[in-house]
Amino acid sequence: MIKTERFVCNMLQENCYIVSDDSGECVIVDCGAYYEEERKALTSYIRDQQLKPVHLLCTHGHVDHNFGNNTIHDEFGLKPEVHADDVSYMEHLPQQAVQFIGFEPRYDFPPVGKTLADGDEIRFGNHVIHVIHTPGHSRGSVCFYLKDEHLMLTGDTLFKQSIGRTDLHGGSMMQIIQSLRLLAQLPDETVILPGHGPQTTMGEELKSNPFLDR
């Protein structure tokens, strides 16, 4: 049985998720925790639930989804895992922070520990996460799909009734539309956990999202 816990983080209201199962192992997806109370909420939840973090996963390399990577590294020894095409973003997170929020964080970010590719399988506990490369918001954007649980974490590729920006460096409207057409082939009951905003389902998005069709 899968359990997901959402934490809304930082000044851009980014969604960080902790996904765990009955084994006690968990993965942390998009640790955008910036403020101290957000970092404490994450680490306290992990310890209170007696979880063992085994992966720090990144749907893409934008700083609002990675502000808290240093806390996860310091507390649990994990380095971020990101698609190879977004490694360059991860190497320039401080500069991104200046661009997005106007100042540079006063701490160091851990280096990328592993690069991901389309079709990779990430294992934790009794579950497998499938990596789906979905460029468009960034070159290396990915979605994390738990097929058996009908659950997908979409980062900034797909939101409830919307999609991620394509006007940033590395973005492409043509590519994100192609990525959305790929995701649209998944079952209607697939629960979508996006990088910002509320959850939805693939069926709901096929009915109401103007960017999505089969």
Side-chain angles (χ1 to χ4, degrees):
M1 178 180 177
I2 281 286
K3 180 178 181 181
T4 62
E5 190 75 15
R6 180 179 73 143
F7 299 82
V8 180
C9 297
N10 67 59
M11 61 292 293
L12 297 180
Q13 298 290 283
E14 178 268 347
N15 292 332
C16 169
Y17 298 96
I18 297 178
V19 184
S20 59
D21 70 9
D22 295 339
S23 73
E25 290 190 347
C26 71
V27 298
I28 302 161
V29 180
D30 286 356
C31 187
Y34 178 77
Y35 301 108
E36 186 60 34
E37 59 269 27
E38 296 169 349
R39 296 166 184 261
K40 185 176 180 180
L42 281 167
T43 56
S44 294
Y45 173 82
I46 290 168
R47 293 196 167 96
D48 290 347
Q49 298 294 313
Q50 299 182 325
L51 299 176
K52 178 184 178 181
V54 293
H55 294 283
L56 172 56
L57 304 178
C58 310
T59 60
H60 62 292
H62 289 159
V63 69
D64 56 319
H65 291 252
N66 293 280
F67 272 126
N69 289 351
N70 66 316
T71 288
I72 303 304
H73 180 257
D74 293 347
E75 295 287 336
F76 306 109
L78 298 179
K79 294 180 180 178
E81 303 175 31
V82 67
H83 191 278
D85 289 347
D86 268 17
V87 169
S88 60
Y89 294 127
M90 301 293 282
E91 293 172 343
H92 295 89
L93 292 173
Q95 294 89 335
Q96 284 192 54
V98 173
Q99 176 186 356
F100 282 112
I101 63 174
F103 60 88
E104 185 174 325
R106 297 180 179 178
Y107 53 81
D108 295 326
F109 292 93
V112 171
K114 180 181 178 182
T115 56
L116 304 174
D118 185 62
D120 281 355
E121 294 184 352
I122 301 167
R123 298 181 181 275
F124 78 101
N126 304 312
H127 288 82
V128 177
I129 298 173
H130 301 271
V131 177
I132 304 174
H133 186 207
T134 53
H137 178 65
S138 70
R139 294 190 184 98
S141 286
V142 299
C143 294
F144 297 118
Y145 181 43
L146 288 85
K147 181 178 180 180
D148 292 341
E149 300 291 336
H150 300 292
L151 179 70
M152 183 165 58
L153 298 99
T154 57
D156 286 3
T157 296
L158 176 62
F159 302 140
K160 183 177 177 65
Q161 298 183 350
S162 189
I163 62 173
R165 294 175 61 175
T166 60
D167 60 330
L168 301 173
H169 177 72
S172 166
M173 177 60 75
M174 182 179 70
Q175 285 189 326
I176 205 168
I177 293 300
Q178 292 173 338
S179 295
L180 293 168
R181 288 174 178 167
L182 175 65
L183 297 183
Q185 304 308 309
L186 298 177
D188 287 357
E189 63 267 28
T190 304
V191 174
I192 305 299
L193 301 180
H196 300 269
Q199 76 176 50
T200 182
T201 67
M202 187 59 67
E204 290 176 6
E205 294 314 295
L206 286 168
K207 293 177 182 177
S208 61
N209 193 321
F211 297 96
L212 199 63
D213 63 62
R214 283 197 169 122

